[in-house]
Amino acid sequence: MTPVKNIPRHQKLYEVLRKHISDGLYREGDLLPSENELCHLFGMTRPTVRQALSTLANDGYIKKHQGKGSIVHHLPREIGILSVSGTTSAIGDRNLQTDIIIRPVLIPWPDNFIFPLSEIEKESGCIYMERLRFLEGVPIFYDITHIANMNLPRITSRQFENRSLFMILREHYHIEIKGVEQRIKAIPASLKISRFLNLKKGEPVLHLERKLETNNPVLFLYSSIFCNTEKYSIFGRF
Amino acid sequence: MTPVKNIPRHQKLYEVLRKHISDGLYREGDLLPSENELCHLFGMTRPTVRQALSTLANDGYIKKHQGKGSIVHHLPREIGILSVSGTTSAIGDRNLQTDIIIRPVLIPWPDNFIFPLSEIEKESGCIYMERLRFLEGVPIFYDITHIANMNLPRITSRQFENRSLFMILREHYHIEIKGVEQRIKAIPASLKISRFLNLKKGEPVLHLERKLETNNPVLFLYSSIFCNTEKYSIFGRF
DNA sequence: ATAATTATCTTGTATTTACAAGTTAATTAT
DNA sequence: ATAATTAACTTGTAAATACAAGATAATTAT
């Protein structure tokens, strides 16, 4: 079986431009090459180019202006956890350090799980892990992840330190994140949470419960994230 | 001058389908008519139909499946404040009651405003209002809004009770919301906030700071929202 | 010199056509 | 009857073409 090669051309262009913006090749306020320029730069037609730009605009990388062009948006300096891409890629690998609290282990699903589970998920058991993420030495995220144990061989023995879970899933298991459903609350820190996030018990903590959909229609990732928003905010753009 | 009439066809279709989903004509899990069916139902071509469906999918109303069709998503029962549409339309006018704490008034911009302001905004002064929103009798949102006083005649004398600010801006001033930038934090309730939201002082409150972009490139809405998330969660889908 | 017009750039909308790829149901061979 | 194949759907990708509409710079008329 040959490796995945049939990446659509619009997606390819999207990734190139996205990388250029992330790398700072195009800076905030810059005008991207016009659609027609991109067309014969990359040898594709305008609808294809427009699809790539549309996705970029949707993800908040650019802003389109009729008659003017596509303007590069300033990248969120804050923590872009509201984006689908996963924290590591959004904030940059350099600044976000990840500690593994509990290595991936196989456990039965907890009773009264936060999200309803399908029969297939219940039968396969679940992979559990806990991570703590630091930004400039300050603990920001305490992250509990549940994944159904379906076709993920040897995942319990992989190295997750300073690597995005999304990246590992993508490179080793060809799993892509397709969508997110999430609930956000402000809760008082429990004793456990307060210790991890270096706060006092009862201090406000942002709690996100996320269900991530993948390209495998029966495989979901569930994560419960506790954020210390004392210094940083969660950032989102639409 | 004739009223706005040049609404793009894809947008028209989007609004029709969106309304049908909101009204429950299409229910959760239902398959939308296929793209080709929609084509000759509405007399347009597939790219046009696809653009409408793409926007619907983007807004979380449907989910597209290659080879299968477009499946209607269950509407978020929770408070969809993370969507651009504004709270009133998201949750339905019936359930959300709005109290005006401070009627729209003209004030100078506060010092150290949460968002940086342009010179034009600073010169025009600002319209200020405070609202409290209830869901089933429970106070959920305490909402502080700042708008630059530009071409909004008689806005200080309009009735905002149980009507969406977005609706008034749309119908009377042709202002459409085009994008949102927001920061989310968990903070302890101040005495003032705790009284409005019927909480104890220091209890966790969700704080959203939003900058809303409009179709007028120099006009922004700024709102600072404090949420009681004890009973309800903020919901989002991507 | 200034103002109005025009030309030329940009993105937005829309049609037409063609084929690829995933899903499902009907058909056929075993 | 069951399993494999085929056909008929569905959405996804991609091209070529045309004109509309907003923005900007060059031109022209005053």
Side-chain angles (χ1 to χ4, degrees):
Chain A
M1 211 191 284
T2 49
V4 185
K5 251 190 161 181
N6 291 352
I7 296 168
R9 307 189 69 186
H10 67 85
Q11 195 176 320
K12 203 76 206 159
L13 175 59
Y14 164 85
E15 279 164 17
V16 168
L17 294 174
R18 184 189 190 223
K19 192 158 191 340
H20 284 182
I21 295 172
S22 293
D23 292 352
L25 220 145
Y26 296 120
R27 270 177 292 181
E28 175 183 346
D30 282 0
L31 269 153
L32 241 50
S34 80
E35 296 181 353
N36 282 322
E37 283 179 289
L38 289 171
C39 282
H40 69 261
L41 269 173
F42 290 87
M44 43 184 79
T45 56
R46 205 150 84 88
T48 310
V49 168
R50 279 180 65 76
Q51 194 166 352
L53 293 181
S54 160
T55 314
L56 278 171
N58 230 50
D59 290 359
Y61 286 97
I62 61 169
K63 187 105 194 171
K64 306 187 85 183
H65 291 276
Q66 187 173 1
K68 214 172 173 188
S70 299
I71 293 172
V72 175
H73 243 72
H74 71 92
L75 283 173
R77 280 160 311 223
E78 283 133 303
I79 301 160
I81 203 178
L82 288 181
S83 66
V84 167
S85 339
T87 49
T88 305
S89 65
I91 197 83
D93 295 351
R94 305 171 205 91
N95 311 320
L96 193 68
Q97 190 209 328
T98 304
D99 278 12
I100 307 297
I101 305 298
I102 296 183
R103 299 187 47 80
V105 285
L106 265 161
I107 61 164
W109 287 98
D111 298 333
N112 307 318
F113 190 63
I114 43 170
F115 285 98
L117 294 166
S118 70
E119 285 305 318
I120 315 167
E121 286 176 303
K122 282 181 192 163
E123 286 164 14
S124 25
C126 108
I127 294 159
Y128 180 88
M129 65 185 291
E130 292 185 13
R131 288 175 296 171
L132 189 58
R133 278 121 166 246
F134 297 81
L135 210 55
E136 292 167 9
V138 184
I140 300 293
F141 295 129
Y142 174 58
D143 197 315
I144 300 171
T145 307
H146 294 263
I147 317 173
N149 180 30
M150 303 191 307
N151 291 69
L152 301 173
R154 287 193 300 150
I155 195 167
T156 52
S157 57
R158 293 202 183 275
Q159 294 298 317
F160 281 90
E161 277 81 9
N162 293 324
R163 297 205 57 199
S164 166
L165 171 60
F166 298 106
M167 252 190 209
I168 289 172
L169 289 173
R170 180 179 184 164
E171 286 170 16
H172 293 92
Y173 306 100
H174 297 295
I175 292 169
E176 300 270 359
I177 305 300
K178 289 288 181 186
V180 179
E181 202 176 285
Q182 67 184 6
R183 296 196 288 259
I184 308 179
K185 278 191 171 215
I187 60 161
S190 68
L191 189 60
K192 184 185 173 193
I193 302 293
S194 68
R195 281 181 182 158
F196 277 127
L197 294 180
N198 204 15
L199 294 166
K200 286 177 195 152
K201 184 168 177 292
E203 281 194 299
V205 167
L206 204 67
H207 185 205
L208 287 97
E209 291 175 329
R210 316 173 95 191
K211 179 181 182 178
L212 307 175
E213 302 162 38
T214 68
N215 52 348
N216 180 340
V218 294
L219 180 66
F220 298 92
L221 313 192
Y222 302 95
S223 68
S224 185
I225 305 174
F226 300 90
C227 309
N228 175 355
T229 56
E230 231 185 5
K231 198 175 164 191
Y232 296 95
S233 299
I234 300 301
F235 190 87
R237 204 197 318 266
F238 305 93
Chain B
M1 211 191 287
T2 50
V4 187
K5 249 190 162 180
N6 291 352
I7 296 167
R9 308 188 68 184
H10 68 85
Q11 195 177 320
K12 204 74 206 158
L13 175 58
Y14 164 85
E15 278 164 16
V16 168
L17 293 174
R18 185 190 190 223
K19 191 160 191 344
H20 284 182
I21 294 171
S22 293
D23 293 351
L25 220 147
Y26 297 120
R27 270 177 293 183
E28 174 183 345
D30 281 1
L31 268 153
L32 241 50
S34 80
E35 295 180 354
N36 282 321
E37 283 179 289
L38 290 171
C39 282
H40 68 261
L41 270 172
F42 291 85
M44 42 184 81
T45 55
R46 204 150 83 87
T48 311
V49 168
R50 280 179 65 76
Q51 194 166 351
L53 293 181
S54 160
T55 314
L56 279 171
N58 230 48
D59 291 359
Y61 287 97
I62 62 168
K63 187 105 195 172
K64 307 188 82 181
H65 291 277
Q66 186 173 1
K68 216 172 171 185
S70 299
I71 294 172
V72 175
H73 243 72
H74 71 91
L75 282 175
R77 281 161 311 226
E78 283 133 302
I79 302 160
I81 203 180
L82 288 181
S83 66
V84 167
S85 340
T87 50
T88 306
S89 65
I91 197 84
D93 295 350
R94 304 170 204 91
N95 310 321
L96 193 68
Q97 190 207 328
T98 304
D99 277 13
I100 307 296
I101 305 298
I102 296 184
R103 298 187 48 80
V105 285
L106 264 161
I107 61 164
W109 288 98
D111 298 332
N112 306 318
F113 191 62
I114 44 171
F115 286 97
L117 294 166
S118 69
E119 285 306 317
I120 316 167
E121 286 177 303
K122 283 180 192 164
E123 286 165 15
S124 24
C126 108
I127 294 157
Y128 180 88
M129 66 186 291
E130 293 184 13
R131 288 176 295 171
L132 191 57
R133 279 120 167 249
F134 298 81
L135 208 55
E136 291 166 10
V138 183
I140 299 293
F141 295 130
Y142 173 59
D143 198 313
I144 299 171
T145 306
H146 293 264
I147 317 173
N149 181 31
M150 304 193 304
N151 290 71
L152 302 171
R154 286 192 301 150
I155 195 166
T156 53
S157 57
R158 294 202 181 276
Q159 293 297 319
F160 282 90
E161 276 82 9
N162 293 324
R163 296 205 58 198
S164 167
L165 171 60
F166 298 106
M167 251 189 211
I168 289 173
L169 289 174
R170 180 179 185 164
E171 285 169 16
H172 292 92
Y173 306 99
H174 298 296
I175 291 170
E176 301 270 359
I177 305 300
K178 288 289 181 185
V180 179
E181 202 177 284
Q182 66 184 4
R183 296 196 289 258
I184 308 179
K185 279 191 171 216
I187 60 162
S190 68
L191 188 61
K192 183 186 173 191
I193 303 294
S194 67
R195 280 181 182 157
F196 278 126
L197 295 180
N198 204 14
L199 293 166
K200 286 177 196 151
K201 183 168 177 292
E203 280 194 301
V205 168
L206 204 65
H207 184 205
L208 287 96
E209 290 176 329
R210 315 173 95 191
K211 179 182 182 177
L212 307 175
E213 301 162 38
T214 68
N215 52 348
N216 180 341
V218 295
L219 181 66
F220 299 92
L221 314 191
Y222 302 93
S223 67
S224 185
I225 306 173
F226 300 87
C227 309
N228 175 354
T229 56
E230 231 184 4
K231 198 175 165 191
Y232 296 95
S233 299
I234 300 301
F235 189 88
R237 205 196 320 265
F238 306 92

